[in-house]
Amino acid sequence: MSATVIDGKAAAARVRERVAGGVAAFRARHGRPPGLVGIQVGDDPASEIYQRNKQKQAEDVGMAARRLKLPGETTQGELDALIDELNADPAVDGMLVQLPVPGQIAEPLIAARIHPDKDVDGFSPVNVGRLVRGEPGLVPCTPSGVMWLIREAGVALEGARAVVVGRSLIVGKPMALLLLAENATVTVAHSRTRDLAAVCREADVLVVAVGRAEMVRGDWVKPGACVIDVGMNRRDDGRLCGDVHYAEAAEVAGSITPVPGGVGPMTIAYLLANTLLAAERREGDEPTGGIV
Ligand code: NDP
């Protein structure tokens, strides 16, 4: 193996440390901690674990974190009413609704209902618009975390060829916009892309967010490239793996994220960073430096 392994666990710990410092300063200034609320609708076991992790990590950095669990048969109107209440609550700086939601709830309506300044997932149309326009807003957590990893890996983005595989609203599209903002030349590939392997081979920075186990093979990777694997897939033997064939790609890449322990830990770290930023903006503070 020749590639440098990008350690997302250690990087996430560094982000959390900075956030914890910012939270302590915020508490000292305002006499209250930044407040985060996570809403879960229904009993999805994976959502339960994610929500618990988010609450625990938020508390660990000194935030006030609440989890609200609604029954699976909650209506859109009931959820809207709760979101409105939290939008108006001065102690709440950030909120999110854990996805997926049951069929009677429409995700786009949730994204549009949460006040953009409390939308710590960065999914609201206003925050998407701000990202496209290059204006300050709240940016989705996973791509923000990826940008930190790329920066720490010492990869120069200006003028580099970046390929993002996947075009979801949560990962692929915001990822492409963030890379573009750093002056990379960005290609977004997807399920209809012709000769995906050849497109990937052009990438100095290859970000893969597809959800297909080990789809990207070693001979899809340009020698020396930085390979970021966002995918999280469960193999038949129960083990987690990414969208990139790690052993093969690591022989060719210059740097690479493992799965688990790569991008995954950065996502919650950036949820905390966004919550701190939202709180600071709501209070008119100068944002804690060096995170977003
Ligand atoms: P989506 O299912 O929303 O999007 C997947 C994207 O991959 C789509 O744009 C789709 O293209 C594209 N795609 C599907 N099949 C292919 C193919 N054969 N070749 C090229 N492109 C293809 O997924 P997400 O973006 O939400 O998530 C992607 C992966 O990242 C998942 O494994 C998910 O678990 C993981 N993830 C990890 C996170 C973390 O914290 N580490 C956070 C979020 C996601 P098209 O648009 O044409 O259908």
Side-chain angles (χ1 to χ4, degrees):
M1 190 181 106
S2 61
T4 303
V5 180
I6 300 173
D7 183 348
K9 252 173 118 170
R14 286 190 283 277
V15 173
R16 285 196 304 271
E17 201 179 300
R18 289 208 189 179
V19 171
V23 168
F26 182 93
R27 285 182 93 126
R29 276 195 306 274
H30 302 293
R32 71 169 185 96
L36 173 66
V37 177
I39 303 169
Q40 182 185 343
V41 187
D43 284 318
D44 178 55
S47 294
E48 188 87 34
I49 295 169
Y50 284 130
Q51 285 282 83
R52 224 181 297 134
N53 280 343
K54 288 172 184 177
Q55 182 180 23
K56 182 179 180 308
Q57 292 195 31
E59 286 171 352
D60 286 349
V61 294
M63 291 179 180
R66 264 197 291 157
R67 274 199 294 151
L68 301 177
K69 195 167 160 188
L70 305 182
E73 55 280 5
T74 300
T75 64
Q76 182 80 49
E78 288 165 338
L79 180 58
D80 286 350
L82 174 62
I83 292 172
D84 291 347
E85 203 181 294
L86 297 169
N87 278 340
D89 185 339
V92 176
D93 298 292
M95 78 173 104
L96 62 99
V97 176
Q98 185 68 47
L99 301 177
V101 282
Q104 76 278 13
I105 308 275
E107 185 278 328
L109 296 183
I110 302 171
R113 193 95 187 182
I114 294 175
H115 192 290
D117 297 344
K118 297 190 177 191
D119 164 38
V120 283
D121 266 339
F123 297 161
S124 84
V126 171
N127 280 318
V128 174
R130 287 170 174 159
L131 182 59
V132 173
R133 293 175 64 93
E135 294 169 1
L138 290 164
V139 177
C141 304
T142 303
S144 289
V146 170
M147 292 306 285
W148 173 288
L149 294 178
I150 292 173
R151 271 195 302 274
E152 274 202 343
V155 175
L157 284 173
E158 175 128 357
R161 291 294 307 265
V163 173
V164 179
V165 190
R167 56 175 165 179
S168 69
L169 273 173
I170 296 175
V171 189
K173 282 180 185 163
M175 189 73 249
L177 288 164
L178 290 172
L179 290 163
L180 190 59
E182 293 299 322
N183 299 316
T185 301
V186 183
T187 300
V188 182
H190 45 77
S191 66
R192 317 287 169 87
T193 297
R194 252 180 263 139
D195 201 353
L196 183 60
V199 172
C200 290
R201 262 194 301 273
E202 289 181 3
D204 301 308
V205 176
L206 177 61
V207 182
V208 190
V210 167
R212 286 177 178 258
E214 301 178 330
M215 181 185 80
V216 172
R217 308 302 302 240
D219 62 357
W220 296 28
V221 174
K222 180 177 177 176
C226 172
V227 177
I228 304 285
D229 189 353
V230 182
M232 275 201 297
N233 311 290
R234 187 72 62 186
R235 272 200 300 231
D236 292 343
D237 62 7
R239 286 171 54 205
L240 272 183
C241 74
D243 290 342
V244 176
H245 193 296
Y246 182 81
E248 289 180 8
E251 291 295 333
V252 187
S255 52
I256 186 167
T257 58
V259 177
V263 174
M266 297 303 283
T267 298
I268 298 185
Y270 266 89
L271 175 69
L272 307 179
N274 275 352
T275 303
L276 173 62
L277 180 63
E280 290 168 336
R281 287 206 183 120
R282 289 186 62 241
E283 295 286 0
D285 294 347
E286 194 61 34
T288 300
I291 310 175
V292 277

